[in-house]
Amino acid sequence: MRKTRFLIPVFLLLFTAILPAQSIPTATLTGKVTSEGGAGLPGVTVTVESPNLQGKRDTSSGANGDYIFNLLPAGDYTVSFAL
């Protein structure tokens, strides 16, 4: 009986530690906007669209032309660029 009282909390602790691993899978999309000569282009508006998103997500490329989209749900995306 005493052993059972000890094991139940241990199993509950182990089970709750596993739960965060069952979260929704997401991805990160990164890239760099460059000119024909290979130089980074800052200030370019980058837009991603997908049926899995509610609407669109926009960001602007940084000083080196880099951009990043975090926490995207799994799926197919269309990426567009506008200057």
Side-chain angles (χ1 to χ4, degrees):
M1 180 74 169
R2 187 172 185 180
K3 199 178 213 184
T4 307
R5 285 185 185 175
F6 173 74
L7 290 178
I8 290 175
V10 171
F11 283 125
L12 288 175
L13 181 64
L14 290 175
F15 181 71
T16 57
I18 294 171
L19 288 178
Q22 305 299 321
S23 63
I24 299 171
T26 59
T28 300
L29 174 66
T30 61
K32 184 173 184 176
V33 183
T34 59
S35 66
E36 291 180 9
L41 294 175
V44 175
T45 301
V46 184
T47 304
V48 293
E49 295 181 72
S50 173
N52 298 336
L53 287 175
Q54 293 179 355
K56 303 175 185 179
R57 288 197 196 169
D58 297 320
T59 191
S60 294
S61 59
N64 297 330
D66 299 326
Y67 63 89
I68 185 168
F69 291 95
N70 289 317
L71 302 173
L72 293 173
D76 294 326
Y77 286 85
T78 301
V79 182
S80 57
F81 305 90
L83 184 60

